[in-house]
Amino acid sequence: KARKLDPEKKVLICESVHDQQQFELEYDKLIISVGVKTNTFNIPTIVEGNGVFFLKRLQHARQIRNNIIDSFEKAAIPDMSIAERKRLLSFIVVGGGPTSCEFVAELHDFLKHDVSRLYADLIPHIKVTLVEAGPALLGPFDTALQNYTTKLFLKRDVDVLLQTALTGIEDFEGEGYRYPARRAVMSDGTKLEFGTLVWSAGLAPVKFTENIKNVLETHPKNGRIVTDEYLRVKNYEGSIWAIGDAAVNKEGPPLPQLAQVARQQGMYLGKVLSGTQGETEKAFSYFSLGSMASLGGMKGVYDGSHVGQFGNEKKVPRITGILALLMWRFAYWGRQTSISNKILIPMHWFKAFLFGRDISRF
């Protein structure tokens, strides 16, 4: 892992993930694209473990999946009380952005179509709650699409709590409970017991970005590395660039923290570093392709209200339903760089469509 930076000597201090020993790595040109981590907003009880999970990496998805399966196996014990069954099968998702909404949609499909085959008697005890501190889900999207998503979730019996923040998590002892229990404390004073809580609200700088804020200029509000219009880090033009969620140009229009932004920045820098484009020949310009989200049940949403470059945007019609889902799948499939993945991914989709998802641990 990259830990520190000495831009004067052009040296990157790294740490081995195997034995935590540090070593130095010299560079001629450096591109910082370390991304961001989950923001807990300094709430001390929001810590991974004991039923609380973040949703940022592949390992997080596997941990969440295994915990869901474990919750059903625990709830299936014959002498388990009804109250504890309901707690184990209560799923809380914090955050109303695209990541959280897509997770809730996949969770609903997983519970309804896959887990239900083995635990049909436990389905009545399931409760899914989506918590959003703002006034609407999918905040950056068009209002009509926000309303479409909310109505769709409510139709699926997802409890949507808007303008509600999670202020903490506390342990408690339930009467007759077999397992340690936890509950979420909301801003309105209510307390929700849970077996699985997924926190996907907000972004914060990673440790590397925090460690170099004394040597590179960072934004005072969000901690992102400051660059110019050519993606060059201030005071180190020609040797250090920063792209993606970890970077920001204070002088230009704010860019969304999306994969398509980082991808376009990477393609821009590829031309610069290969010599096909001069370092200051052309400033980076983001071209928005719109925003989309998968909502499960063969449905999705696409917001094309701001397609194009800043100041020259076009309004593309909103799309909902299966057509938006097909656009979403084609977009992600088309971004695969491996031919084998382009073959395997549709095969996995087809297998899951016919036979359902695998619900064994791995």
Side-chain angles (χ1 to χ4, degrees):
K1 296 181 179 180
R3 289 304 188 192
K4 298 179 182 178
L5 176 66
D6 187 340
E8 302 298 334
K9 296 181 179 179
K10 292 190 174 182
V11 171
L12 189 67
I13 293 88
C14 303
E15 180 182 291
S16 170
V17 297
H18 302 290
D19 57 11
Q20 286 70 55
Q21 294 295 316
Q22 292 192 346
F23 58 92
E24 295 184 352
L25 185 64
E26 297 181 355
Y27 66 85
D28 294 316
K29 298 182 185 297
L30 177 67
I31 301 174
I32 301 175
S33 55
V34 293
V36 288
K37 65 180 181 180
T38 303
N39 192 349
T40 60
F41 301 100
N42 297 318
I43 302 175
T45 52
I46 305 298
V47 180
E48 284 186 279
N50 298 322
V52 178
F53 302 89
F54 295 157
L55 189 55
K56 194 69 180 170
R57 304 176 183 173
L58 177 60
Q59 69 183 43
H60 294 154
R62 288 179 173 171
Q63 291 168 354
I64 294 169
R65 183 180 183 278
N66 288 336
N67 191 74
I68 292 171
I69 295 170
D70 286 344
S71 295
F72 275 90
E73 290 182 349
K74 291 176 182 177
I77 295 175
D79 62 346
M80 184 70 63
S81 68
I82 298 298
E84 187 163 19
R85 277 192 179 131
K86 290 183 176 180
R87 181 192 67 80
L88 288 167
L89 302 181
S90 175
F91 305 93
I92 300 176
V93 181
V94 182
T99 300
S100 299
C101 289
E102 288 187 347
F103 174 76
V104 167
E106 290 298 320
L107 175 63
H108 172 267
D109 286 357
F110 184 62
L111 297 176
K112 180 179 179 181
H113 301 297
D114 302 305
V115 176
S116 60
R117 290 184 284 113
L118 294 182
Y119 301 101
D121 57 318
L122 297 178
I123 299 303
H125 303 305
I126 295 175
K127 181 181 180 182
V128 179
T129 304
L130 179 57
V131 181
E132 165 56 32
L137 301 179
L138 297 177
F141 282 61
D142 181 86
T143 303
L145 298 179
Q146 294 174 347
N147 295 335
Y148 173 87
T149 302
T150 303
K151 290 178 181 178
L152 184 63
F153 283 167
L154 292 175
K155 187 177 179 181
R156 295 173 179 173
D157 294 325
V158 175
D159 192 9
V160 179
L161 303 181
L162 299 177
Q163 295 183 312
T164 304
L166 189 151
T167 58
I169 295 174
E170 62 182 25
D171 300 318
F172 75 101
E173 294 183 2
E175 185 178 353
Y177 279 15
R178 180 190 294 257
Y179 300 103
R182 310 192 80 188
R183 57 192 175 195
V185 181
M186 302 300 168
S187 56
D188 60 2
T190 59
K191 298 181 179 182
L192 301 179
E193 300 180 18
F194 66 86
T196 303
L197 186 146
V198 177
W199 180 278
S200 180
L203 303 171
V206 297
K207 286 184 179 180
F208 175 75
T209 308
E210 292 177 341
N211 290 340
I212 64 174
K213 63 183 179 181
N214 292 328
V215 294
L216 300 182
E217 182 181 349
T218 57
H219 196 283
K221 291 185 178 180
N222 53 40
R224 298 165 72 180
I225 301 169
V226 175
T227 69
D228 62 13
E229 65 271 30
Y230 306 104
L231 308 182
R232 302 176 302 176
V233 174
K234 192 173 180 181
N235 299 324
Y236 295 97
E237 293 84 352
S239 63
I240 305 178
W241 290 260
I243 63 174
D245 294 349
V248 62
N249 177 14
K250 292 196 299 185
E251 306 302 326
L255 300 180
Q257 292 175 286
L258 299 174
Q260 59 177 300
V261 175
R263 180 177 182 274
Q264 291 181 32
Q265 289 176 330
M267 294 174 66
Y268 170 88
L269 271 187
K271 295 178 181 179
V272 172
L273 296 178
S274 66
T276 57
Q277 179 178 301
E279 187 178 309
T280 58
E281 179 181 334
K282 181 181 178 182
F284 173 75
S285 180
Y286 169 59
F287 187 98
S288 174
L289 300 173
S291 301
M292 52 186 161
S294 168
L295 298 180
M298 301 303 290
K299 290 181 174 61
V301 290
Y302 171 76
D303 183 5
S305 56
H306 300 286
V307 172
Q309 294 178 332
F310 182 77
N312 190 30
E313 298 169 327
K314 307 294 182 183
K315 192 168 184 177
V316 177
R318 300 183 299 267
I319 301 175
T320 60
I322 190 171
L323 179 58
L325 176 67
L326 291 175
M327 291 177 61
W328 181 90
R329 289 198 169 186
F330 182 79
Y332 280 90
W333 174 83
R335 296 299 183 221
Q336 300 300 312
T337 57
S338 165
I339 296 298
S340 62
N341 279 347
K342 286 190 174 182
I343 296 173
L344 289 172
I345 288 174
M347 291 175 62
H348 284 304
W349 284 338
F350 184 68
K351 179 178 73 72
F353 177 76
L354 285 184
F355 308 109
R357 299 175 180 86
D358 181 10
I359 60 172
S360 59
R361 290 192 197 87
F362 60 80

